[in-house]
Amino acid sequence: MPYENKSRADAAFAKTSNQRLIFAYLLAFSIIPLIARNILPYDMIENLYWGKELQFGYAKHPPLFAWVSYFFYKLCFSWPESLYFLTQLNLVLGFYFIFKISELIFKDKTKSYAAILIFMASIGSVFGNEKFNATTILMSLFPAMFYFFIRMLKFNKYSDAIAFGIFCALAVVGKYFALLYIACVGLFLILNKECRKFFKTPQIYVAAGVFLICVSWHVVWMFENDLITLKYAFDKTAAQSRLSAFNFLAMQTLFSATSFFAVAYACKGKIKLWPDEWSKISLEEKFIIFITIAPNVLLFLVSLATGMRIGSFWGANMFTTGGVYLLIVNKNLDFDRLFVFVKRITTFFAAVLFIKLGVARVLLKEYDPTNAIDIRKISRKMDEDWRANFGDQKMKIIATDKALAALHIHLKDSPSYYDVKNLRIYSDGDSFPTDETVVVAFLSRRRCEKDAARSSSVIFDDDARRRVLFENKIRVIGDYFVYYAFVNTAHNNERN
């Protein structure tokens, strides 16, 4: 009995230690960008100007991550930096489903925590998850998809089939990249002899029906808008060089390498990459092995055959089941050693990220003016000038360069930055509504307002210059200035 009590006490201590490490990890990677960045990454700024408009799709991506970003931002009292916490909350949702997948397979909470720790040890979970966007939202949606698919295979319940269909749909309206994984799930059902019997049951068809119903509204939007998001996706992946396949392979190796080191350390060097006896592997375990490896192999082969471009960070979400996979093929882990390794490597990651974001920004400040921009100071001054000129009139539209895109978040009236009608950001005076006073702002190295104005396509010619109602500049650093103007666009539209 004393031995049993000691074992239970050790298990309880291990559970608490794992939970504390996971909490510290999530808190650290929320706070580091909060204190080290001066402006949100542009991806997050995009999320907010898209989400503000609540459309069924946008020029570049399907809408889910933009909606989630904007609702969370409003829930946090319109605090832009709250998105750093959303990024990690999304990851912790992924952790939850990784844990639940492991419980289904191992029925062992220690191994379930170990699966999370192995994924935490990956470079992809840190440096591929610095911001919440179309790629990182899949870090939660993929594990959720896989969890309900495994439950559907294991228990054959309609509720699991419905949940699987819903999460497949959510993943697709998060990023079309999810279609690769859905195709791989279908491929597994076809190739695996045990799974073929499921084609004779209604659950698979229920899941497919739910999926199609849940994505139908976005499909309709796509056809109404000339398949603009698909065209963008094809343009981004347009054939360039077969070297892109090897770049993808190198990045995937980099993203997951430290997880393999963690397992090797926990196995005292005796790591395995493939199960010894495939016949003894359960159906659920076979699926995890397949879904961890197959999408990487397929994407590599397609890119190698076609030269399709793959973004360096697009594969950051492809290792979410890596911890479960490594636990399936490695039965001899020392979980205490794994915990120690993950604690050390994640501390190292935190230090590197802080240096990358904080110290690098300070060092680059004199050379890169975007690192010196005080977006809050500029927005306050612009608000003051607007009130002085227009009183209570609402600031409705803003057009800026990329360096100042965050102004749309910080200005009091939260002006629109995205032109819903033309599916693009406001950057061309001809796209503005007739007889509207808009705000134009951009970073300039010019000293003279007149010369600075000529850097903007919105107020480029003399006709447009006559419509400038107010203009000002704020020095950023050295000879860099933020130039901004309030421009009435009526004349610009009349001449068209």
Side-chain angles (χ1 to χ4, degrees):
M1 185 66 75
Y3 177 78
E4 289 181 6
N5 290 337
K6 184 177 184 302
S7 297
R8 289 176 183 172
D10 288 345
F13 178 76
K15 176 183 175 181
T16 303
S17 298
N18 287 326
Q19 290 174 343
R20 286 176 178 171
L21 178 58
I22 292 168
F23 177 78
Y25 173 95
L26 296 166
L27 187 63
F29 292 112
S30 297
I31 292 176
I32 288 172
L34 180 67
I35 62 178
R37 280 191 170 118
N38 63 327
I39 299 177
L40 284 177
Y42 188 72
D43 281 15
M44 289 185 177
I45 296 168
E46 279 186 320
N47 297 356
L48 294 178
Y49 68 64
W50 284 329
K52 187 188 299 181
E53 307 301 335
L54 284 180
Q55 298 298 298
F56 283 174
Y58 303 97
K60 295 183 181 179
H61 294 293
L64 182 62
F65 69 95
W67 291 353
V68 172
S69 296
Y70 189 71
F71 282 124
F72 189 81
Y73 161 76
K74 297 304 288 185
L75 188 66
C76 295
F77 307 101
S78 300
W79 179 39
E81 285 75 12
S82 64
L83 295 193
Y84 295 133
F85 293 93
L86 174 62
T87 305
Q88 301 308 321
L89 286 174
N90 176 65
L91 187 63
V92 80
L93 184 60
F95 286 172
Y96 171 78
F97 282 109
I98 291 169
F99 186 92
K100 298 299 288 183
I101 289 170
S102 303
E103 274 197 319
L104 279 176
I105 292 174
F106 304 121
K107 299 179 178 62
D108 183 332
K109 290 191 184 298
T110 301
K111 286 189 174 182
S112 298
Y113 280 113
I116 296 174
L117 294 182
I118 294 169
F119 179 56
M120 281 170 54
S122 68
I123 292 174
S125 71
V126 177
F127 297 98
N129 187 50
E130 286 186 46
K131 50 198 175 185
F132 185 73
N133 58 21
T135 295
T136 57
I137 195 173
L138 298 179
M139 286 190 176
S140 62
L141 295 177
F142 279 165
M145 272 173 54
F146 306 149
Y147 171 67
F148 286 108
F149 179 72
I150 291 171
R151 281 189 60 89
M152 187 175 69
L153 293 184
K154 196 174 181 72
F155 304 115
N156 214 24
K157 290 184 177 180
Y158 285 107
S159 58
D160 295 323
I162 292 169
F164 173 61
I166 289 171
F167 275 101
C168 285
L170 288 173
V172 169
V173 295
K175 190 172 184 177
Y176 299 142
F177 182 72
L179 290 169
L180 170 67
Y181 274 83
I182 294 171
C184 284
V185 170
L187 194 60
F188 179 76
L189 287 170
I190 293 168
L191 295 178
N192 188 280
K193 187 177 180 180
E194 294 175 76
C195 279
R196 289 177 201 149
K197 64 182 180 182
F198 288 100
F199 285 110
K200 298 178 181 179
T201 66
Q203 281 77 6
I204 292 293
Y205 304 101
V206 168
V210 169
F211 167 74
L212 292 173
I213 291 169
C214 289
V215 298
S216 59
W217 52 269
H218 180 65
V219 174
V220 170
W221 177 90
M222 286 170 59
F223 279 101
E224 288 177 345
N225 291 277
D226 199 26
L227 301 177
I228 188 170
T229 44
L230 281 181
K231 290 177 181 177
Y232 174 79
F234 287 135
D235 287 343
K236 289 288 285 185
T237 57
Q240 292 185 345
S241 167
R242 285 173 173 78
L243 290 176
S244 181
F246 293 99
N247 177 66
F248 166 72
L249 191 62
M251 288 302 297
Q252 291 303 87
T253 302
L254 178 65
F255 280 147
S256 59
T258 44
S259 288
F260 285 92
F261 289 145
V263 174
Y265 182 81
C267 293
K268 300 179 182 178
K270 299 176 182 178
I271 185 173
K272 296 176 182 177
L273 302 180
W274 193 255
D276 291 331
E277 297 181 76
W278 184 255
S279 59
K280 293 185 178 180
I281 299 293
S282 70
L283 179 62
E284 296 82 13
E285 290 174 327
K286 287 176 182 176
F287 171 70
I288 289 297
I289 293 171
F290 181 84
I291 207 67
T292 305
I293 296 173
N296 286 277
V297 173
L298 282 175
L299 202 54
F300 172 76
L301 292 176
V302 170
S303 181
L304 186 63
T306 65
M308 181 184 80
R309 176 185 173 272
I310 306 172
S312 296
F313 285 87
W314 293 359
N317 50 45
M318 297 179 74
F319 194 66
T320 53
T321 52
V324 189
Y325 159 71
L326 288 170
L327 285 171
I328 290 169
V329 297
N330 292 276
K331 309 293 186 183
N332 59 332
L333 267 77
D334 183 326
F335 296 111
D336 290 334
R337 285 174 66 88
L338 176 66
F339 179 86
V340 170
F341 183 93
V342 174
K343 186 177 180 180
R344 289 173 180 171
I345 195 68
T346 52
T347 302
F348 173 74
F349 287 158
V352 171
L353 185 63
F354 181 77
I355 292 169
K356 176 191 169 190
L357 297 182
V359 177
R361 179 168 71 87
V362 172
L363 293 176
L364 292 172
K365 194 173 180 179
E366 296 295 329
Y367 306 97
D368 181 3
T370 58
N371 285 310
I373 291 174
D374 185 339
I375 205 76
R376 285 182 168 82
K377 174 185 173 183
I378 294 166
S379 63
R380 283 195 298 269
K381 180 59 179 165
M382 289 175 69
D383 274 327
E384 290 173 8
D385 290 339
W386 180 270
R387 301 301 165 205
N389 283 273
F390 305 109
D392 293 332
Q393 180 180 329
K394 186 176 175 64
M395 187 190 296
K396 294 181 180 178
I397 294 172
I398 185 168
T400 78
D401 59 9
K402 193 171 182 177
L404 296 172
L407 281 171
H408 88 90
I409 307 167
H410 293 279
L411 289 166
K412 184 178 179 181
D413 291 331
S414 186
S416 292
Y417 190 79
Y418 184 71
D419 180 1
V420 172
K421 182 180 178 182
N422 296 295
L423 299 178
R424 61 183 180 183
I425 62 172
Y426 283 116
S427 59
D428 185 344
D430 293 340
S431 70
F432 294 142
T434 304
D435 200 16
E436 186 71 70
T437 300
V438 302
V439 178
V440 177
F442 51 88
L443 188 65
S444 174
R445 201 169 186 172
R446 313 270 186 173
R447 292 183 179 276
C448 172
E449 289 91 337
K450 185 175 181 180
D451 290 337
R454 296 185 183 280
S455 300
S456 169
S457 62
V458 178
I459 46 177
F460 182 79
D461 58 28
D462 291 336
D463 283 343
R465 283 292 304 162
R466 284 197 291 271
R467 288 297 179 177
V468 173
L469 306 177
F470 177 86
E471 58 189 335
N472 198 4
K473 65 177 181 179
I474 298 175
R475 182 177 173 274
V476 176
I477 195 168
D479 61 350
Y480 283 95
F481 292 81
V482 168
Y483 171 82
Y484 59 94
F486 307 145
V487 185
N488 187 278
T489 60
H491 191 65
N492 293 12
N493 287 278
E494 286 167 7
R495 61 191 173 89
N496 291 324

